[in-house]
Amino acid sequence: MYALSSFTDKAYTKIGYLGNLTFLDLCGAQNLTDDGLSSISRCGSLTYLNLSWCVRVTDVGVVAIAQGCRSLELLSLFGILGVTDACLEALSKSCSNSLTTLDVNGCTGIKRRSRDELIQLFPRLSCFKVHS
């Protein structure tokens, strides 16, 4: 559903019923809000979620994803200005045993961290992109 901006939260509510969904690319979904992400968080089998340029998303939505999608291996938050370190803390609590790739490039509310700090938060992390 790459760059699909016509969906509303009502459509994302229906996606939330796809319990076996593992891959979801919502890059550029301009109308996706935290409410839509809360619905998607019911897709507990998600391992890949691309939220790049979903500009209406904030920590609230990402925290919901962290709590509901504990098997995430890849999460891209590229270009989302509404996320902060609070979402990283939630992801660390819920997804630290699965997350291997995290892209927060352009997320200015997330501070830079050393490699050691990142490994402490996400032991399986092999790729982390921030502020390039």
Side-chain angles (χ1 to χ4, degrees):
M1 297 193 296
Y2 180 85
L4 184 64
S5 59
S6 61
F7 271 22
T8 64
D9 285 336
K10 187 175 180 180
Y12 296 117
T13 298
K14 295 184 186 302
I15 290 171
Y17 294 116
L18 302 173
N20 293 324
L21 187 66
T22 59
F23 183 100
L24 187 57
D25 187 345
L26 294 172
C27 178
Q30 301 285 322
N31 291 329
L32 177 63
T33 67
D34 293 331
D35 288 339
L37 271 186
S38 291
S39 295
I40 291 169
S41 74
R42 293 190 311 252
C43 299
S45 298
L46 270 181
T47 58
Y48 178 103
L49 182 59
N50 184 357
L51 298 175
S52 298
W53 298 112
C54 293
V55 295
R56 296 178 67 191
V57 167
T58 71
D59 285 335
V60 173
V62 178
V63 168
I65 289 294
Q67 293 171 344
C69 304
R70 295 174 177 258
S71 298
L72 275 181
E73 295 173 15
L74 181 143
L75 178 62
S76 178
L77 303 173
F78 184 96
I80 301 177
L81 300 178
V83 295
T84 68
D85 287 328
C87 75
L88 282 193
E89 291 169 20
L91 287 164
S92 176
K93 288 178 184 171
S94 301
C95 303
S96 65
N97 291 325
S98 61
L99 203 60
T100 60
T101 303
L102 181 60
D103 186 352
V104 293
N105 193 10
C107 301
T108 55
I110 294 177
K111 73 173 186 172
R112 292 183 185 264
R113 288 178 167 74
S114 70
R115 182 184 182 283
D116 289 341
E117 288 175 306
L118 289 171
I119 295 302
Q120 201 168 23
L121 288 173
F122 305 100
R124 298 195 61 219
L125 200 65
S126 60
C127 182
F128 182 79
K129 297 179 183 178
V130 63
H131 307 299
S132 64

